[in-house]
Amino acid sequence: MTSPTLPGLSATAWPGAAPADTTVRTDLLGTVRIPADQIRAASLSGLNRRLLDDFFPTAASGGVRLGRGACYYRPRTALPAATALARAVAALDERAPGDAPAVRHALLDNLHNLAAAGAYALWHDLTDRPAPPGDPRPAALERLIAAATTTAAHLHGLPAPGGPLTVPAGDLELLSRTDGGWRTFRELDNHTKIGNELAFLADHLLASRPEITSLLAPLYGSLSLAVAARAVLPARLGRPLDVHLVRIGFHDQASVSYLDTTGAVLQRPTAPGPYRQQLADAVAGSTVLVVDDNVGYGDTLRAARRLVEQLGGRAVTRSVESAWALYHRAGRHDIADAADLPSLRPNLHHSIQTRLIGHLLRGDGRAYAGDPAHRARGTLRQQMADSFDLAVSTGTWSGGQLTAMRAELAHAAAWTEPPIPRPAALVAAA
């Protein structure tokens, strides 16, 4: 078996970060709106009309389409289209460079989704069913992670290293026979949000703390952030940064027992054997940044911190979104001990995410585009300022944590993320 290749690429792997195309904006889920003129440009470049129709549903009159549809949220059944999607990106780049940036983003987004979903399916499968000698799954997993990293590099405006946009047909066939581990969506699946998060972490934490040499991302929600970090952070920092994955979750993976009777984290259920050893070797005696996509009660972050400490390392923990609404309705709720660097972003509640994805799974792009979640009042930065005021009022956060929150609030002045709607149940209770 080949040795795992997930940890960080060298700082010279992507020599400098070109900014992502600012004309491509994403919504709450990370979906782009594609203008009709870009659809025409893509068609003239030779893109198969059936591919466009299958993957990009109509959102409104005038020919506007969405960059995600039912195929996006059924990745296992969409696998056969991976080669056609990759060829479509190549055709656009060759025949219509710069003419259809939203189409290109959407094609890459769908390719990235297939690679990420497939990588998790194999990670899950290899964790629960370890590979015997000669098993093709470990090599396929590495190729899927490489493809997810390459597509993330493209999506974040980086010169890609020449890696594949998709995976060989044999790996696609292997995935089609993999039964477990397929998920409808990742909680953190918005490349605009991921780009903002990585920029903040690089500028306000990692640049001044070279002792942090690794990033650990709990699966499944943080998978896209992890592979984007492999591409973005070494280029932005000018130094290597190892990236590791670990399957830990107490909300969406409640059926898995991660703790023993003493509260220690069991390593066996978290990763395939080679990756467990790789994490142990990297963590011992070092400082690790743990980034969780969404922190509610903090159980996942606490367990990830405990795992790092069991392996002889030190953890700095971060949430990309925080369930600040819980502070209003749960008298003893406090994550000050779980998240060293809690984001002021409120979380996109799972009920809203599920409703929006439901429109797309039904093929109703118009209902998706017209959903009231896209018309939340105010701005994200205003919401983050409210979160900061709430954090100050609780009196449980340290001076260092509040300083980091102020830095994030200042950084957010340049973010283009939309505001987060509150779920109906919380609005009614307010």
Side-chain angles (χ1 to χ4, degrees):
M1 185 181 77
T2 58
S3 60
T5 58
L6 178 63
L9 305 170
S10 69
T12 58
W14 280 282
D21 191 325
T22 56
T23 64
V24 177
R25 298 289 182 90
T26 59
D27 64 15
L28 284 168
L29 288 190
T31 304
V32 296
R33 275 25 175 212
I34 307 174
D37 63 327
Q38 291 194 31
I39 294 290
R40 287 192 295 272
S43 298
L44 290 173
S45 75
L47 265 69
N48 184 286
R49 187 74 188 192
R50 173 70 181 274
L51 188 74
L52 294 172
D53 289 342
D54 286 348
F55 279 83
F56 305 147
T58 299
S61 59
V64 175
R65 293 185 180 235
L66 299 173
R68 295 180 183 177
C71 289
Y72 189 94
Y73 294 102
R74 296 189 180 109
R76 188 180 182 187
T77 59
L79 284 171
T83 300
L85 290 168
R87 287 174 178 166
V89 174
L92 265 184
D93 288 349
E94 179 182 352
R95 301 169 193 166
D99 291 346
V103 175
R104 186 177 189 273
H105 179 101
L107 290 167
L108 287 164
D109 188 30
N110 278 272
L111 274 169
H112 176 81
N113 181 60
L114 291 178
Y120 178 75
L122 282 185
W123 188 280
H124 177 89
D125 195 42
L126 282 163
T127 301
D128 293 344
R129 297 191 309 115
D135 192 320
R137 291 177 298 160
L141 173 58
E142 292 188 37
R143 287 189 289 268
L144 283 161
I145 292 172
T149 304
T150 300
T151 48
H154 281 282
L155 286 164
H156 289 274
L158 288 165
L165 291 178
T166 187
V167 291
D171 291 346
L172 296 175
E173 171 62 23
L174 186 154
L175 282 172
S176 72
R177 293 183 275 106
T178 302
D179 293 326
W182 293 99
R183 301 278 294 275
T184 302
F185 61 88
R186 289 175 299 285
E187 288 80 359
L188 178 55
D189 190 19
N190 184 323
H191 295 288
T192 298
K193 185 181 296 183
I194 289 170
N196 288 336
E197 176 64 20
L198 293 177
F200 170 72
L201 291 175
D203 295 349
H204 292 277
L205 177 67
L206 296 169
S208 61
R209 297 195 60 178
E211 74 274 15
I212 299 178
T213 56
S214 296
L215 183 149
L216 178 63
L219 298 173
Y220 177 52
S222 297
L223 178 54
S224 285
L225 179 138
V227 293
R230 293 186 72 210
V232 171
L233 292 179
R236 193 171 184 110
L237 295 170
R239 64 176 173 87
L241 185 80
D242 289 350
V243 177
H244 300 268
L245 304 175
V246 61
R247 188 184 69 172
I248 292 180
F250 294 91
H251 174 66
D252 57 348
Q253 300 184 70
S255 62
V256 181
S257 297
Y258 291 107
L259 306 178
D260 67 15
T261 55
T262 70
V265 178
L266 300 169
Q267 285 187 264
R268 172 66 181 77
T270 66
Y275 293 94
R276 295 199 303 271
Q277 185 59 53
Q278 196 174 62
L279 176 64
D281 292 342
V283 166
S286 67
T287 302
V288 179
L289 173 62
V290 181
V291 184
D292 194 14
D293 61 298
N294 174 19
V295 174
Y297 290 97
D299 292 338
T300 298
L301 270 187
R302 291 187 187 95
R305 184 199 299 279
R306 196 174 304 131
L307 175 60
V308 169
E309 292 172 349
Q310 285 175 202
L311 295 173
R314 298 171 298 280
V316 176
T317 56
R318 164 72 173 174
S319 64
V320 179
E321 294 180 340
S322 307
W324 291 101
L326 291 174
Y327 278 84
H328 290 289
R329 62 188 181 121
R332 295 186 177 181
H333 176 67
D334 191 356
I335 58 168
D337 68 312
D340 298 323
L341 302 170
S343 178
L344 292 170
R345 286 186 190 88
N347 67 306
L348 178 60
H349 197 270
H350 63 84
S351 63
I352 296 172
Q353 193 170 24
T354 300
R355 187 180 78 224
L356 291 172
I357 291 171
H359 296 317
L360 298 178
L361 286 171
R362 289 189 298 273
D364 196 342
R366 294 178 186 273
Y368 175 88
D371 193 282
H374 298 300
R375 300 191 297 275
R377 295 180 180 179
T379 66
L380 177 66
R381 192 172 185 280
Q382 290 170 344
Q383 292 178 330
M384 293 171 67
D386 291 341
S387 298
F388 179 74
D389 291 342
L390 177 59
V392 171
S393 72
T394 66
T396 60
W397 302 94
S398 70
Q401 287 172 314
L402 294 174
T403 296
M405 291 182 198
R406 292 188 188 94
E408 184 194 38
L409 191 58
H411 204 273
W415 296 355
T416 59
E417 301 170 38
I420 306 297
R422 297 186 73 195
L426 293 182
V427 173

